[in-house]
Amino acid sequence: MSEAQRRSESQQAAEQKTTATPRPRRAERRAEIVQQRRHERLHRSERQKRERLLTRLGLGALAVLLVAVLGIFAYNRYQEYQGDQVLEGVQTFDYAGGQHETGELTWTETPPVGGVHNPVWQNCGYYAAPVPPENVVHSLEHGAVWITYQPDLPEAQVAELRELAEEMDYILVSPFPDLPAPVVASSWNHQLILESADDPGLDAFIREYRNNPETTPEFGASCSGGNTGTLT
């Protein structure tokens, strides 16, 4: 074999080696690409599962909230309906506001619901002793509900009434001698006779007339900063 033939064969062998070498690298690259795409699909699938789970949880929470809101709305509507039923016994009067006088005053109703009253109002809240009606009537003019009770009312019921005065503003609670019923709720020009502190009419009366702009001659006026004295 001549020198030229040997060089030719050597060159061909080198070329074959050069062209054969990349094949395994391309196969490895393809495997890497396939693996990467599989990983991306798996990651995308897991992300979609999380998103669907979060969506279901969000919709579930929204549904629970909606049911709760509807339940509260329905309950309030029912309470209002109940209140409308028990408020049929409310007595109404027609006293004009702004009649301020000092000294001893008298009224037709027991307890009074309006008319002439002292220029200083009675602070709202609970009182263990009777309070001066001439000051309380001024509180009614400001939107207060005055809950009076017979002095011998059971202590448990007195505690319920006291709790109302402590939890809400524009509520005044006090005993009242010679009261015509166990409990009487009064606001300006409105009064309701009650058999006990548990009577559902009491809550309905408070809801209807406490600080009501339609029935309060001096709506927005304060129920504090006035008189705090009692009769005994």
Side-chain angles (χ1 to χ4, degrees), residues 124-125 143-145 164-172 206 210-211 223:
C124 287
V145 168
L164 289 175
E166 292 174 345
E167 290 181 348
M168 293 185 286
D169 55 5
Y170 289 91
I171 295 290
L172 199 155
I206 292 172
R210 182 178 70 97
N211 205 24
C223 200

Side-chain angles (χ1 to χ4, degrees), residues 65-92:
L65 179 62
L66 181 61
V67 170
V69 170
L70 291 176
I72 293 173
F73 175 78
Y75 176 78
N76 289 338
R77 291 293 297 172
Y78 175 75
Q79 290 293 95
E80 292 176 3
Y81 170 77
Q82 291 291 92
D84 291 341
Q85 304 306 303
V86 297
L87 280 178
E88 293 180 355
V90 174
Q91 302 176 62
T92 60

Side-chain angles (χ1 to χ4, degrees), residues 20-193:
T21 300
R23 293 180 182 175
R25 295 179 181 175
R26 285 199 296 268
E28 291 175 2
R29 181 58 181 163
R30 284 197 298 271
E32 290 176 359
I33 294 174
V34 170
Q35 184 67 21
Q36 182 179 357
R37 291 176 177 174
R38 184 180 299 127
H39 177 74
E40 291 175 352
R41 286 197 300 269
L42 180 61
H43 181 71
R44 184 167 55 251
S45 176
E46 292 177 350
R47 185 177 66 251
Q48 291 173 346
K49 286 181 180 178
R50 287 196 299 269
E51 291 174 351
R52 286 195 295 268
L53 177 60
L54 291 175
T55 300
R56 285 196 294 268
L57 290 175
L59 292 175
L62 182 61
V64 171
L65 179 62
L66 181 61
V67 170
V69 170
L70 291 176
I72 293 173
F73 175 78
Y75 176 78
N76 289 338
R77 291 293 297 172
Y78 175 75
Q79 290 293 95
E80 292 176 3
Y81 170 77
Q82 291 291 92
D84 291 341
Q85 304 306 303
V86 297
L87 280 178
E88 293 180 355
V90 174
Q91 302 176 62
T92 60
F93 306 88
D94 191 25
Y95 290 106
Q99 303 179 64
H100 298 165
E101 291 186 17
T102 57
E104 186 175 349
L105 303 173
T106 59
W107 301 270
T108 303
E109 294 76 34
T110 304
V113 296
V116 179
H117 53 274
N118 192 278
V120 179
W121 59 89
Q122 187 78 15
N123 283 1
C124 287
Y126 170 78
Y127 295 87
V131 291
E134 60 269 21
N135 299 108
V136 180
V137 173
H138 196 153
S139 300
L140 300 184
E141 188 180 42
H142 287 190
V145 168
W146 184 19
I147 305 172
T148 49
Y149 61 90
Q150 292 177 341
D152 61 350
L153 190 72
E155 291 184 7
Q157 295 192 42
V158 174
E160 291 183 30
L161 299 179
R162 178 173 183 171
E163 187 175 351
L164 289 175
E166 292 174 345
E167 290 181 348
M168 293 185 286
D169 55 5
Y170 289 91
I171 295 290
L172 199 155
V173 175
S174 68
F176 196 99
D178 302 321
L179 196 67
V183 179
V184 177
S186 306
S187 67
W188 187 269
N189 279 337
H190 299 87
Q191 192 167 82
L192 181 63
I193 304 299

